[in-house]
Amino acid sequence: MSHNGYITEQEIQGGDDGPLAGRTVAVKDNLSTEGVRTTCGSDMLAEYVPPYDATVVERLKQAGATITGKTNMDEFGMGTTTETSAFGPVENPAAPGHVPGGSSGGSAAVVAAGDADLALGTDTGGSVRCPAAFCGVVGIKPTYGLVSRYGLVAYANSLEQVGPIAPTVEEAAELLEVVAGPDDRDATTRDATDHGTDYEFAAAADGDVEGLSVGVPTELVEGAQPGVREQFWAAIDDLEAAGASSREVSLPSVEHAVEAYYVIAMGEASSNLARYDGVRYGSPGGYEGDWNDSFARSREDGFGEEVKRRILLGTYALSAGYQDKYYRKAQDARAWVQQDFDTAFEAVDVLASPTMPVTPFELGESLDDPLRMYLADANTTPVNLANLPAISVPVGEADGLPVGLQLVGPAFGEKRIIRAGSALA
Ligand code: GLN
């Protein structure tokens, strides 16, 4: 709590029994909670109290969980450090003086500090995996469509999924089991059983990697800090000692993933955030003048700098004269990234890389340099572009700071990455 992990600390009681009875779960503040304010880390929604629960929140309650409160986050999920929150930055409990990663930094921090047993985050381009890696805990970004987005306040719909954060792989898998599964209220959800698998995620955390083939995409390792690379290769050695084999593979398209991701994410954000005008949603302008002045004032006062930057860039990339040059090109790059992953999974069972190429930034260090912040997402964004599942597990420290290893699986291959991840954490 001294870490500023919560925006609103308020207990929400679930049912009396169920798989999460007696467990506490913190929920990211972009997931709607009936009667409890949901700010998205923004001044714009500082007073917003949703009249309904997100599907994942409803499922937590049904499973008997006690929700501890709503966790701090980068404003609308836009960031990699949780410093763009209107409610102040979060400090990393595992690395004092450093950021917890983002945008689900509050969720990872409260789990790392032991203030909640488990937490939900959301991952549009790495926002579950990055804070899990930076705080030394486990995070899973599910296959697109495995978990309902109903009641998740949208940042970039085609990329984001709700995902669990926990101290161990098995606990993360237990939480995933509770929230996963089709939902009539989100037409993009899919039933895993139609894709040759089931929902027994926790049982898959048996650490059995005998015969597993692990592909290491050179492009995602080369650029990492030396200390991060060292911990990464040591973990690959551990997997091999446990019976897995590893080989290098190539994903040539990933060098364009960050650019493609940011064009698509900002484009979708500019459209999603149009609803905050003080009339439909957001703190009212209440100003003199015509509606145009009032909308503009509401948006000027309500949004922070990073959000404004992204609305402007997204609007530009979608504008009539430029959409072929930027948005269409980014969609082509997305298709290429998807193809590269498909080809890689013909040869190997899972792919492994450092989750983040860097160790946690010092608080304040990256704020003035958005580009540097965006580039830190090099290893996580390709996975969202390809709609695939990935897990981040802690694999030691570099210079006293936590390092995470990312395992990526084919679509609906959650059990495979959970099994492999559980051999490490
Ligand atoms: N850092 C990325 C961004 O700022 C990812 C954020 C996320 O996954 N919500 O867009």
Side-chain angles (χ1 to χ4, degrees):
M1 293 153 236
S2 56
H3 306 292
N4 200 27
Y6 287 103
I7 291 175
T8 305
E9 233 181 311
Q10 184 174 333
E11 215 167 82
I12 307 172
Q13 276 304 334
D16 290 335
D17 51 30
L20 293 181
R23 314 278 280 282
T24 53
V25 185
V27 173
K28 189 176 181 180
D29 209 21
N30 59 352
L31 293 163
S32 302
T33 39
E34 182 183 352
V36 177
R37 77 171 175 157
T38 298
T39 70
C40 291
S42 182
D43 272 336
M44 185 61 100
L45 292 178
E47 313 291 331
Y48 173 62
V49 178
Y52 67 100
D53 279 331
T55 296
V56 291
V57 168
E58 204 175 272
R59 290 184 182 174
L60 286 181
K61 288 180 171 175
Q62 279 161 4
T66 300
I67 295 171
T68 50
K70 309 295 298 291
T71 56
N72 206 346
M73 56 181 283
D74 281 300
E75 188 174 3
F76 287 101
M78 300 176 186
T80 308
T81 64
T82 311
E83 293 170 296
T84 71
S85 169
F87 298 85
V90 175
E91 187 173 21
N92 187 336
H98 293 74
V99 303
S103 64
S104 313
S107 289
V110 300
V111 170
D115 294 336
D117 298 327
L118 309 163
L120 287 181
T122 61
D123 191 310
T124 312
S127 283
V128 163
R129 290 160 286 159
C130 161
F134 278 8
C135 293
V137 295
V138 175
I140 301 176
K141 180 265 172 206
T143 305
Y144 189 80
L146 184 75
V147 181
S148 170
R149 289 179 297 107
Y150 178 76
L152 159 63
V153 182
Y155 157 22
N157 328 41
S158 81
L159 297 159
E160 57 209 3
Q161 278 288 292
V162 178
I165 294 176
T168 64
V169 173
E170 187 175 6
E171 290 162 288
E174 280 178 69
L175 180 53
L176 182 61
E177 230 171 271
V178 165
V179 295
D183 178 12
D184 290 344
R185 293 170 298 186
D186 174 359
T188 63
T189 52
R190 295 286 172 269
D191 191 340
T193 59
D194 295 335
H195 296 267
T197 183
D198 57 41
Y199 295 92
E200 309 287 316
F201 301 126
D206 60 9
D208 180 6
V209 291
E210 189 64 50
L212 183 85
S213 65
V214 181
V216 178
T218 36
E219 294 87 352
L220 301 184
V221 183
E222 278 164 354
Q225 283 173 3
V228 170
R229 284 207 305 263
E230 216 168 280
Q231 294 304 316
F232 170 75
W233 287 116
I236 296 295
D237 287 347
D238 291 346
L239 286 175
E240 287 184 340
S245 63
S246 83
R247 54 186 277 193
E248 297 199 0
V249 298
S250 179
L251 298 172
S253 63
V254 296
E255 74 169 287
H256 303 291
V258 170
E259 293 106 284
Y261 166 80
Y262 274 97
V263 170
I264 294 170
M266 290 180 189
E268 292 185 24
S270 70
S271 155
N272 278 321
L273 271 56
R275 75 191 65 164
Y276 305 104
D277 51 26
V279 175
R280 288 169 296 178
Y281 286 95
S283 35
Y287 302 103
E288 307 282 317
D290 64 15
W291 62 269
N292 211 3
D293 288 335
S294 163
F295 282 18
R297 289 299 299 270
S298 165
R299 291 167 71 79
E300 170 63 26
D301 295 348
F303 288 140
E305 201 180 318
E306 182 63 26
V307 172
K308 284 178 191 156
R309 172 166 29 246
R310 295 189 186 203
I311 292 173
L312 288 172
L313 287 169
T315 305
Y316 179 77
L318 291 180
S319 61
Y322 290 101
Q323 56 173 258
D324 284 346
K325 196 167 167 200
Y326 297 113
Y327 187 71
R328 292 258 157 74
K329 275 266 185 285
Q331 293 291 13
D332 288 348
R334 183 172 190 174
W336 185 21
V337 170
Q338 291 170 347
Q339 236 172 42
D340 268 1
F341 275 110
D342 284 350
T343 309
F345 285 122
E346 284 168 14
V348 295
D349 298 322
V350 298
L351 294 167
S353 75
T355 306
M356 300 299 287
V358 294
T359 48
F361 307 111
E362 284 175 27
L363 280 162
E365 187 188 334
S366 64
L367 265 184
D368 298 331
D369 192 350
L371 197 56
R372 177 159 167 230
M373 196 171 82
Y374 300 164
L375 288 172
D377 297 335
N379 291 4
T380 51
T381 51
V383 177
N384 300 74
L385 290 172
N387 305 322
L388 299 175
I391 187 168
S392 178
V393 295
V395 290
E397 295 188 340
D399 308 319
L401 299 168
V403 173
L405 177 140
Q406 167 175 258
L407 291 160
V408 186
F412 297 98
E414 271 77 6
K415 287 172 73 172
R416 201 184 286 179
I417 56 171
I418 286 167
R419 182 163 281 125
S422 66
L424 294 170

